[in-house]
Amino acid sequence: MSEETEKNFVLEEDDLNITSTHHELNNNLAAAPAGDNDDITTKTQDNQWIDELRVALERGCDLGSIRNIGKSRPLPDDLRLHVWKICLDINEANDEYEYSDSNTCDSPQQNIIRDDVSRLLHSLEISEDLFTTKVNDIEAVITYYCKKYNETYEKGNGWIEIFKPLLTLQYKDRSELYALFASIRNRYIPRDCEADGVPYHLFRLLLLYHDPELCSFFDTRKITSDLYAHIWIRSLYAGSCSLNIILPLWDGYFQHADQFFAFFLALVLLMFAKEKLLEMADNSKREIIDFLSKAPTNLTIDDLDDFCSLAIHYASNTPQSFRKEFYSCLFNETDRTFSQKAYSIYQALCLPISVQELLQANQLGGTAGVRYFVVDCRPAEQYNSKHLCTAFHLDANLLLEDPKEFAGTVDALFATQQNAIDAGSAAGGEHLCFIGSGHNEEDKYVRMVVAYFLQRNTKYVGIASGGYKILVTAVEDPTMLTQAHQQTIRTSIHDSPTIGSTLKQNLADKIPAINTQTASLINMISNAVKSKSMEVKDKVKDYISHTSSPDSSNSQPRHVSKQDKIDRLYRQNQTSVFSLDGDDDDETISSQQRDSELVDIESWFLRSDLLYKYECEHYDENDKTHPSLLLASSTHLYILRKLPEHKTMANLVARRQLNTITKITSKKNVPEIITFRYAISEEQDDEQEKAIKFNTKNTKIKIPVDCDKVYLPDAGDATKNIKVLIMKALHMYENTNETVSN
């Protein structure tokens, strides 16, 4: 691995720092007054990365190195072509964009192509001596692309605008120009960018998720996004921005390497224009469309930093599973299930969320990028039978049977959500994820409930794909599912005395398990819904008592029971199990098969909980290596296996709790090969309770269950840092258990 790759493999939210730096430092040094020397020194330091990037390019580097050094900043003119080619995977080894110059321009649309090319070159004020050459180059490239991919050129399809920034590069021949154009087209321009096309329906779902009020504004006026965002998406904003904007924008875009990033940039443009749009409520549809179409033209160099940083924020605050769901539909020309996936986008009521992502957020708790408040809308008998332990029950049938009662339950839902967030509960999250049974006939009422929230402009509303039927098959930890202690009572408000006595008995039974903080939360919720039926209060109290954070600072000490386990591991007064040993043996250690999860690399880099990131090679069960990333947070170790065909995506092949690592070994002959071994505790429940009760030190039997083997070029630094994290994690668990036992 190159030296550049090992440096700070980190991309924070403010890394897309696009600013204008067009002045030559040498000229500034010669012309600046003596009093400006400090400013010039600062500028020199700020531009040291350019020299570092130049050296890296000379040595040969990859996208990861460029991203580490450049941090999506604007590039110098003399480096731009070289960097773009690396970011677009254009090299001699890649024959995907091989060009054959036949000098035959015989497309049925040839006259249209020639006219559009001439119009572009006149707008760029190309000199007379280069005019004919450039016309022939672009015309030949477009013609060859149409023939190779069986495309039909259409006026206004955005192709011509893509050449606007490309003509500023010193490309060596038509072959290189073709490779640049074809790579941008195939990599970053979604399929089916036609009127009412799939990309625009997906964009509407994203807008509905982040700003339902603005989405409703467009829907009521029948303004679809293809009417104003067509040229934005099809030209990657080159058709709407001047060259001094699009060049630094593309510098950051290609380094960022997120194929969905255009959608989030479009979201930011709408947010910028929202206030003016709402003022135009009485204007004609045509006036609103014209105003929106010109929105990117108002961008200035000073706006680019906020423009891109906000787009990154929206991207990181959006469920990531839609990328996996719709990637091949939008960017894979060979996908044969296009019509089926397109249909799912057209029919979607709101943004779908995979149950895998939902469970991951539930397991990670406060460390997750997107936190979900799960709303189980199945019938009461199904919910009582078994449900996700952090799910709030909102019976969808209640919407039709008793709208007033339903409204009261919704009030309780919002109050519970806010207080769960404030309490740091595992159930707390700003994003609402509704889940049904997974059966169409039953879930039609769930869709009515979702529509109820959307009509009230509730942000961050999603629905779990496949419902509970799929969720229950994806759950690995049985303790994540729980059974209700008592059937939900469906009684009218006239029976409140009976319900009140039942409530009193329920609370009496639950008092030992309710801590001080939970009690205060119950009081707050009760005040929020005091005008509603006692049934709603009972539901809220039952929910809070099972989802409040047990380790809150206000909690009262209590015994730990089996139901309290959130994960499979349970530690009680256990000594450190970490060791770093040599590993001479060549035995093949079998790993448990785990389902991988497709994730966006960039979004993971933006997570605030990640502390260390290392490039590595991960060994699979056949001892074959794969380029990967080893990531560490204060509680978990992750391995992301890169996808060679998708530079921005990776498979999450391992998610390990640090406190399950029993040994870290290395090969004596090859110390860079590191093996992480894991284990779980084996102990009977009665022995656990006895140890807790008598505060005895007990020794647990550790049984090896899994391992991960990686080749780490920076093995010394990595194992040292991970060891510190493991010790901290073990210390945290030991302190927690000592508090419980006392």
Side-chain angles (χ1 to χ4, degrees):
M1 183 177 297
S2 66
E3 178 183 349
E4 290 77 17
T5 306
E6 297 180 25
K7 293 182 180 179
N8 272 334
F9 202 75
V10 180
L11 187 66
E12 303 294 343
E13 278 197 23
D14 59 351
D15 280 345
L16 205 66
N17 182 23
I18 298 183
T19 56
S20 179
T21 56
H22 297 296
H23 300 292
E24 294 293 331
L25 289 176
N26 290 337
N27 293 338
N28 286 343
L29 285 169
D36 294 339
N37 285 341
D38 291 342
D39 293 338
I40 293 173
T41 300
T42 302
K43 290 182 179 179
T44 303
Q45 294 173 348
D46 290 344
N47 285 275
Q48 286 178 350
W49 68 272
I50 296 178
D51 295 331
E52 186 180 355
L53 178 60
R54 199 183 306 276
V55 172
L57 292 172
E58 291 173 355
R59 293 179 179 177
C61 60
D62 58 11
L63 174 59
S65 300
I66 290 174
R67 181 184 271 167
N68 287 340
I69 300 170
K71 300 189 183 299
S72 300
R73 289 172 285 204
L75 300 167
D77 293 341
D78 61 322
L79 300 183
R80 180 169 287 122
L81 176 60
H82 196 171
V83 172
W84 283 13
K85 287 175 65 176
I86 294 174
C87 293
L88 296 171
D89 197 24
I90 299 173
N91 53 67
E92 295 179 356
N94 186 359
D95 60 357
E96 180 182 356
Y97 306 118
E98 187 175 345
Y99 175 77
S100 176
D101 195 351
S102 63
N103 286 319
T104 303
C105 295
D106 54 358
S107 169
Q109 295 81 33
Q110 208 67 51
N111 289 335
I112 300 176
I113 296 174
R114 188 173 294 113
D115 290 343
D116 284 350
V117 173
S118 297
R119 174 179 52 81
L120 171 66
L121 296 180
H122 282 301
S123 69
L124 296 176
E125 300 180 354
I126 300 295
S127 61
E128 291 288 339
D129 55 332
L130 293 176
F131 192 90
T132 302
T133 302
K134 298 297 184 184
V135 167
N136 293 337
D137 286 348
I138 299 176
E139 198 173 338
V141 166
I142 292 178
T143 303
Y144 182 78
Y145 183 88
C146 288
K147 291 179 179 180
K148 182 175 181 178
Y149 293 100
N150 195 26
E151 293 272 4
T152 300
Y153 181 84
E154 297 177 356
K155 196 174 187 67
N157 62 2
W159 293 15
I160 288 294
E161 286 76 10
I162 292 176
F163 284 97
K164 184 168 69 172
L166 298 184
L167 289 176
T168 67
L169 307 177
Q170 299 299 318
Y171 62 89
K172 62 182 180 181
D173 52 27
R174 287 182 186 176
S175 177
E176 191 166 74
L177 180 64
Y178 170 78
L180 290 163
F181 170 76
S183 180
I184 293 171
R185 269 280 306 148
N186 295 350
R187 187 181 298 262
Y188 288 112
I189 310 301
R191 296 167 63 182
D192 195 37
C193 278
E194 311 294 341
D196 199 38
V198 172
Y200 305 114
H201 279 269
L202 174 59
F203 177 65
R204 181 192 172 276
L205 292 179
L206 292 172
L207 177 61
L208 179 65
Y209 192 82
H210 288 281
D211 198 325
E213 179 187 12
L214 193 54
C215 186
S216 176
F217 176 89
F218 290 133
D219 289 347
T220 56
R221 290 159 180 78
K222 294 183 170 55
I223 300 176
T224 55
S225 55
D226 59 285
L227 295 176
Y228 57 84
H230 178 72
I231 196 62
W232 303 355
I233 305 299
R234 295 213 65 164
S235 70
L236 216 61
Y237 296 92
S240 306
C241 298
S242 59
L243 272 176
N244 70 318
I245 298 296
I246 202 61
L247 286 173
L249 180 60
W250 278 17
D251 288 340
Y253 203 110
F254 296 153
Q255 293 176 67
H256 193 57
D258 179 2
Q259 289 159 295
F260 289 89
F261 199 54
F263 296 106
F264 296 106
L265 289 173
L267 275 179
V268 176
L269 285 173
L270 294 186
M271 297 304 109
F272 283 169
K274 180 178 179 179
E275 184 177 352
K276 178 65 175 177
L277 282 170
L278 297 181
E279 292 175 358
M280 298 175 66
D282 297 329
N283 290 44
S284 67
K285 177 179 177 179
R286 184 72 261 167
E287 289 175 327
I288 295 175
I289 293 173
D290 289 342
F291 168 73
L292 281 175
S293 301
K294 299 174 183 177
T297 62
N298 298 321
L299 288 172
T300 66
I301 289 291
D302 293 335
D303 294 328
L304 283 180
D305 186 20
D306 290 339
F307 182 41
C308 296
S309 296
L310 284 172
I312 290 178
H313 168 74
Y314 279 111
S316 63
N317 201 36
T318 302
Q320 299 302 308
S321 49
F322 85 92
R323 297 171 180 267
K324 178 180 179 181
E325 180 74 17
F326 302 128
Y327 173 84
S328 60
C329 176
L330 294 177
F331 296 103
N332 187 354
E333 294 289 343
T334 62
D335 183 16
R336 302 303 178 190
T337 62
F338 173 78
S339 59
Q340 178 182 351
K341 293 180 180 177
Y343 179 79
S344 68
I345 296 180
Y346 285 122
Q347 297 299 313
L349 177 62
C350 61
L351 199 66
I353 301 170
S354 72
V355 294
Q356 290 80 9
E357 180 174 9
L358 188 64
L359 292 173
Q360 175 187 337
N362 183 283
Q363 289 172 327
L364 295 179
T367 66
V370 175
R371 299 283 310 283
Y372 296 103
F373 185 83
V374 183
V375 184
D376 193 328
C377 296
R378 294 177 298 148
E381 60 274 11
Q382 293 184 26
Y383 177 85
N384 290 332
S385 174
K386 190 163 285 189
H387 58 270
L388 194 65
C389 61
T390 55
F392 182 97
H393 185 227
L394 179 63
D395 193 339
N397 296 322
L398 199 62
L399 178 61
L400 296 178
E401 296 175 7
D402 193 341
K404 185 177 180 180
E405 178 97 352
F406 180 83
T409 309
V410 170
D411 289 340
L413 183 152
F414 284 126
T416 304
Q417 178 190 22
Q418 186 56 53
N419 286 289
I421 294 172
D422 295 341
S425 167
E430 293 184 354
H431 299 249
L432 291 174
C433 183
F434 293 85
I435 185 168
S437 65
H439 302 286
N440 288 333
E441 185 61 28
E442 294 176 350
D443 287 352
K444 64 183 180 181
Y445 298 109
V446 178
R447 289 187 285 272
M448 292 174 62
V449 170
V450 172
Y452 175 93
F453 281 82
L454 292 175
Q455 289 167 3
R456 284 152 181 77
N457 295 332
T458 306
K459 288 184 178 182
Y460 310 138
V461 171
I463 191 166
S465 299
Y468 188 81
K469 179 175 67 174
I470 301 299
L471 182 141
V472 74
T473 63
V475 171
E476 295 180 357
D477 183 0
T479 62
M480 294 182 67
L481 300 177
T482 186
Q483 187 173 3
H485 293 287
Q486 184 170 335
Q487 293 289 333
T488 302
I489 304 171
R490 299 298 307 276
T491 315
S492 69
I493 198 165
H494 300 292
D495 299 326
S496 56
T498 303
I499 298 174
S501 60
T502 303
L503 171 62
K504 182 177 180 180
Q505 182 60 44
N506 284 347
L507 284 176
D509 294 339
K510 295 176 183 176
I511 284 298
I514 300 179
N515 58 32
T516 304
Q517 181 187 35
T518 300
S520 65
L521 291 176
I522 292 175
N523 291 334
M524 295 175 68
I525 299 300
S526 298
N527 290 333
V529 296
K530 61 184 179 180
S531 62
K532 309 304 175 184
S533 72
M534 296 296 291
E535 177 190 349
V536 176
K537 292 183 181 179
D538 189 19
K539 184 186 302 180
V540 173
K541 293 175 182 178
D542 183 71
Y543 174 81
I544 286 290
S545 68
H546 287 87
T547 59
S548 290
S549 176
D551 57 353
S552 170
S553 59
N554 296 328
S555 299
Q556 296 293 330
R558 62 183 179 86
H559 289 301
V560 179
S561 66
K562 185 176 181 180
Q563 287 74 20
D564 289 319
K565 299 180 192 176
I566 297 178
D567 235 330
R568 289 178 296 175
L569 182 69
Y570 180 82
R571 293 185 182 270
Q572 173 67 26
N573 297 328
Q574 184 176 324
T575 59
S576 172
V577 294
F578 175 81
S579 63
L580 181 60
D581 296 336
D583 188 5
D584 287 326
D585 61 88
D586 293 324
E587 63 177 345
T588 301
I589 305 172
S590 60
S591 272
Q592 291 182 351
Q593 296 295 322
R594 293 176 178 269
D595 293 334
S596 61
E597 177 185 347
L598 189 65
V599 299
D600 178 64
I601 296 176
E602 193 67 30
S603 298
W604 272 71
F605 284 177
L606 295 176
R607 289 175 45 159
S608 59
D609 63 308
L610 289 183
L611 302 177
Y612 301 106
K613 307 175 180 65
Y614 300 98
E615 290 274 1
C616 68
E617 296 281 332
H618 183 235
Y619 289 81
D620 62 17
E621 60 273 10
N622 299 317
D623 221 30
K624 180 181 178 182
T625 60
H626 304 270
S628 304
L629 293 167
L630 181 70
L631 312 178
S633 71
S634 60
T635 57
H636 284 75
L637 192 72
Y638 308 95
I639 297 178
L640 273 60
R641 185 178 296 171
K642 297 179 180 179
L643 300 180
E645 66 275 18
H646 306 313
K647 302 298 183 182
T648 64
M649 308 298 286
N651 277 323
L652 176 60
V653 295
R655 182 193 295 112
R656 316 287 192 176
Q657 284 189 312
L658 292 178
N659 58 312
T660 63
I661 298 178
T662 57
K663 188 178 290 186
I664 301 178
T665 61
S666 64
K667 293 283 186 182
K668 286 186 177 179
N669 295 334
V670 189
E672 290 82 6
I673 296 180
I674 303 296
T675 300
F676 297 93
R677 302 173 189 268
Y678 312 94
I680 59 173
S681 301
E682 183 179 64
E683 183 177 24
Q684 298 299 324
D685 287 340
D686 56 346
E687 293 176 348
Q688 292 177 342
E689 295 294 342
K690 183 178 180 180
I692 295 172
K693 182 175 180 180
F694 296 102
N695 193 24
T696 59
K697 300 282 184 177
N698 60 319
T699 303
K700 298 184 179 182
I701 302 172
K702 305 295 286 188
I703 300 179
V705 296
D706 210 350
C707 69
D708 288 307
K709 185 165 71 171
V710 295
Y711 177 85
L712 266 172
D714 197 8
D717 182 62
T719 53
K720 175 184 175 182
N721 291 330
I722 292 172
K723 175 183 176 180
V724 172
L725 293 178
I726 292 173
M727 300 306 293
K728 289 181 178 179
L730 291 175
H731 182 67
M732 176 183 68
Y733 271 89
E734 289 169 2
N735 285 348
T736 301
N737 290 330
E738 287 175 7
T739 301
V740 172
S741 61
N742 290 332

